[in-house]
Amino acid sequence: MAYLYTPWLLLTQILLQVAKYEAEVPAIIVFGDSSVDSGNNNRISTPLKSNFKPYGRDFAGGQPTGRFSNGRVPPDFISEAFGLKPSVPAYLDPKYGISDFATGVCFASAGTGYDTATSDVLNVIPLWKEVEYYKEYQNKLRAYLGEAKAKKILTEALYLISLGTNDFLENYYTIPTRQMEFTVQQYEDFLIGLSENFIREIYSLGVRKISLTGLPPMGCLPLERARNFMANHDCVQEHNNVAVEFNGKLSNMVAKLNQGLPGLRILFTDKIYQLFYQIIKRPSSYGFDVTEVACCATGTFEMSYLCNENNPYTCKDANKYVFWDAFHPTDKTNKILAASLIGILRETFK
C-alpha cells in the first residue's frame, strides 16, 4: 500500500495542515498504558516512572513530564490536530484541574493492560481503576459545567484507547502464572473478552466515539531484539505473529460492537501495526538512521530508571532513532504514527 512508504516529512506536514483554529471535538479522553500515559504514574508508588531527565528533553520547556518519550505521545499530536491543546494532561497531575480537563484528560498508566494481573506486576493503575477515575471526572465535569454541557462533551469527545502490549510482554511471556492457565491463543481470547467488557462499560457511561489501537509489532522492540540471541537480534517473529493474530480478533470484536451497540462508533486503527513495521524495516524512508537499538543509554534493555541523565551512552539526536528507550518510540516516531491517523479519525468522527 502506497501510504506505508509516505516520507515522514509529508506526514508531518499533513499533521500540521489539519490543525484547526476551531476544535472539531470538544475533548480528547485517553485510556491505556505507557504508549499514551502523560504522567499518571508520577503520582503512584511504582518503579515504572519517567519523570526525570533525559525523558522529556525535547518536550516544550525541555522538562520531563512522565511521558515515556523524549517528547510527546500520540494523543498530544491528535489533540493539537483537532484544534485542542498541544498536550493532554494527566488526571492525577496536581498542576491541573477540571477547567483543564474539560477539553482533554488522560487516565492511562504505564505498565497496565486489559488483564488486572498485568497491572499487579509493577503496581500500576489497573484498567478498572482508570474507569473509576473517569466516573469521578464525569461528576466533576457536571458540577463544573452543568448537566447539559457536560453530557455534550462526554458524548461528543473522542476517546483514545491503547492497551495490550504489557499483557503479553510484561505478563504472559515473563510471569509463569498465565502461561499455566492459558495457551497464547486462549490468553488472546481472554483479553478480547476483557476488552469487550471494558468497552461495554464505558459505553454504558455515555462514551460513543472510540479510536482503539491494537498491538504494535512488539517483537521488534529493542528489548525483544536484545534478547533474541539465536536470530542475531532480529525481530522476534513469534511475538509479531501473536500481535497480528490478536489484532485480527480485536477487529472482529469491534465489528460486532459497532453493529450491536446503538450510536457507538469504534475505529480500530490496525494500520498502526503496518506503518510501525514499515518504519522499523525501512527507517531511511521516514528519515531515521537507527531502528535496532534505542536512543537512551545502550538502547538494548534500558527504560524507566535505567534510562537516566547519568548514562553516557544516550544519543545526542533522538530524531535519528525510531525508539527512545528499549520499549517506547521517540517523539518523531509518535508524530508520524499520529499523523497517519488524523485523516481517518476526522472522516470517521466528523
Side-chain angles (χ1 to χ4, degrees):
M1 299 180 197
Y3 71 83
L4 293 177
Y5 303 98
T6 304
W8 75 270
L9 279 173
L10 177 58
L11 283 170
T12 302
Q13 290 167 358
I14 292 171
L15 179 63
L16 294 174
Q17 289 169 2
V18 297
K20 304 290 185 180
Y21 291 108
E22 183 177 351
E24 299 173 63
V25 294
I28 297 290
I29 299 176
V30 185
F31 295 97
D33 55 23
S34 60
S35 61
V36 291
D37 183 4
S38 55
N40 285 307
N41 276 24
N42 297 353
R43 312 303 301 177
I44 63 175
S45 179
T46 176
L48 193 57
K49 294 180 184 289
S50 58
N51 56 340
F52 45 83
K53 295 181 178 179
Y55 286 101
R57 73 181 192 186
D58 298 309
F59 194 83
Q63 295 301 311
T65 62
R67 289 168 173 82
F68 281 78
S69 171
N70 58 304
R72 291 192 282 176
V73 290
D76 299 321
F77 294 108
I78 293 170
S79 175
E80 184 174 36
F82 273 80
L84 298 167
K85 296 186 293 286
S87 59
V88 181
Y91 184 64
L92 298 184
D93 191 330
K95 297 196 301 291
Y96 301 100
I98 192 59
S99 61
D100 305 293
F101 299 146
T103 56
V105 61
C106 175
F107 302 103
S109 175
T112 202
Y114 290 111
D115 187 355
T116 299
T118 301
S119 61
D120 291 340
V121 174
L122 292 171
N123 192 38
V124 298
I125 302 168
L127 187 55
W128 67 263
K129 185 64 174 178
E130 291 188 28
V131 175
E132 290 302 307
Y133 283 138
Y134 174 64
K135 293 176 183 177
E136 182 179 86
Y137 162 73
Q138 286 189 324
N139 291 332
K140 290 179 180 179
L141 195 65
R142 293 186 184 104
Y144 176 63
L145 294 176
E147 184 68 33
K149 288 184 179 179
K151 182 178 180 180
K152 182 174 177 60
I153 289 175
L154 296 169
T155 302
E156 294 296 323
L158 175 57
Y159 293 79
L160 307 179
I161 301 170
S162 181
L163 285 159
T165 304
N166 296 317
D167 290 307
F168 290 97
L169 298 187
E170 183 184 305
N171 188 356
Y172 186 84
Y173 287 116
T174 305
I175 309 298
T177 306
R178 289 305 193 202
Q179 291 188 50
M180 291 188 292
E181 294 179 79
F182 304 106
T183 65
V184 69
Q185 286 76 25
Q186 289 171 338
Y187 190 57
E188 291 168 13
D189 294 338
F190 173 68
L191 295 178
I192 293 296
L194 295 176
S195 177
E196 179 174 341
N197 291 342
F198 164 61
I199 292 173
R200 287 183 180 276
E201 181 174 9
I202 60 175
Y203 172 83
S204 73
L205 296 171
V207 173
R208 292 297 181 268
K209 299 177 180 180
I210 298 173
S211 174
L212 176 65
T213 301
L215 298 182
M218 57 188 183
C220 293
L221 301 181
L223 181 63
E224 295 301 293
R225 297 179 76 147
R227 295 168 173 169
N228 197 18
F229 301 104
M230 301 302 290
N232 198 30
H233 301 294
D234 199 357
C235 298
V236 180
Q237 194 55 47
E238 176 192 351
H239 292 177
N240 283 349
N241 291 343
V242 167
V244 171
E245 188 173 63
F246 181 74
N247 287 346
K249 293 178 179 181
L250 267 182
S251 181
N252 291 337
M253 183 268 290
V254 164
K256 181 179 75 171
L257 293 181
N258 274 331
Q259 185 174 17
L261 296 177
L264 179 65
R265 282 183 289 168
I266 310 176
L267 173 66
F268 178 58
T269 56
D270 55 343
K271 68 182 292 185
I272 288 296
Y273 178 98
Q274 300 164 5
L275 175 57
F276 206 164
Y277 189 74
Q278 288 299 324
I279 293 171
I280 291 166
K281 289 300 181 179
R282 302 170 62 94
S284 61
S285 297
Y286 299 87
F288 295 105
D289 294 336
V290 185
T291 187
E292 296 87 357
V293 297
C295 170
C296 196
T298 66
T300 55
F301 63 89
E302 296 94 345
M303 56 184 252
S304 190
Y305 287 109
L306 295 176
C307 172
N308 61 71
E309 63 180 334
N310 296 319
N311 196 302
Y313 297 106
T314 298
C315 76
K316 300 298 183 185
D317 183 4
N319 284 332
K320 296 179 180 179
Y321 287 72
V322 174
F323 292 96
W324 166 247
D325 67 18
F327 212 86
H328 303 99
T330 56
D331 174 276
K332 178 178 167 181
T333 305
N334 284 330
K335 181 184 291 186
I336 294 172
L337 294 174
S340 73
L341 291 179
I342 299 301
I344 190 170
L345 286 170
R346 176 169 286 110
E347 182 64 26
T348 302
F349 300 112
K350 63 182 179 182

